[in-house]
Amino acid sequence: CVNKCTKGTKSQMNCNLGTCQLQRSGPRCLCPNTNTHWYWGETCEFNIAKSLVYGIVGAVMAVLLLALIILIILFSLSQRKRHRPESEGEQIRP
């Protein structure tokens, strides 16, 4: 029986890095399950390195943390200016 999962035929399904498996619903690509990449798409055509995702998420978190620290510093400085007595820095005259 020849189907889209039969190797060497013109109608062979291209699963990229996945494997073709004939199921009751028809031929289907099974994407590889690896420790280094995530795969998706009907024919495993899309993949992304897990390290890239982790790096991007880490960088975004670092930028957000830095922004939060800067906002806290600016807020505390504005509060300090606001609560400073007006006579501070002026000499008292007799």
Side-chain angles (χ1 to χ4, degrees):
C1 178
V2 176
N3 57 52
K4 288 189 174 186
C5 289
T6 305
K7 292 183 180 184
T9 61
K10 289 182 181 180
S11 64
Q12 179 184 355
M13 189 176 215
N14 179 11
C15 288
N16 297 299
L17 297 174
T19 56
C20 187
Q21 186 178 59
L22 189 58
Q23 298 182 345
R24 288 185 182 192
S25 60
R28 182 172 176 226
C29 291
L30 299 176
C31 300
N33 189 8
T34 69
N35 294 332
T36 59
H37 289 77
W38 282 304
Y39 296 88
W40 67 94
E42 286 188 28
T43 59
C44 308
E45 66 267 26
F46 303 108
N47 68 56
I48 190 165
K50 291 180 181 181
S51 59
L52 177 64
V53 173
Y54 297 146
I56 290 171
V57 169
V60 167
M61 294 299 283
V63 167
L64 289 175
L65 181 63
L66 183 63
L68 180 65
I69 291 170
I70 291 171
L71 286 174
I72 289 171
I73 291 170
L74 290 175
F75 180 74
S76 67
L77 289 175
S78 71
Q79 291 299 315
R80 190 178 296 165
K81 270 186 177 179
R82 193 173 178 188
H83 294 296
R84 184 182 300 165
E86 291 182 24
S87 63
E88 186 177 300
E90 293 179 11
Q91 294 180 353
I92 301 175
R93 295 182 185 169

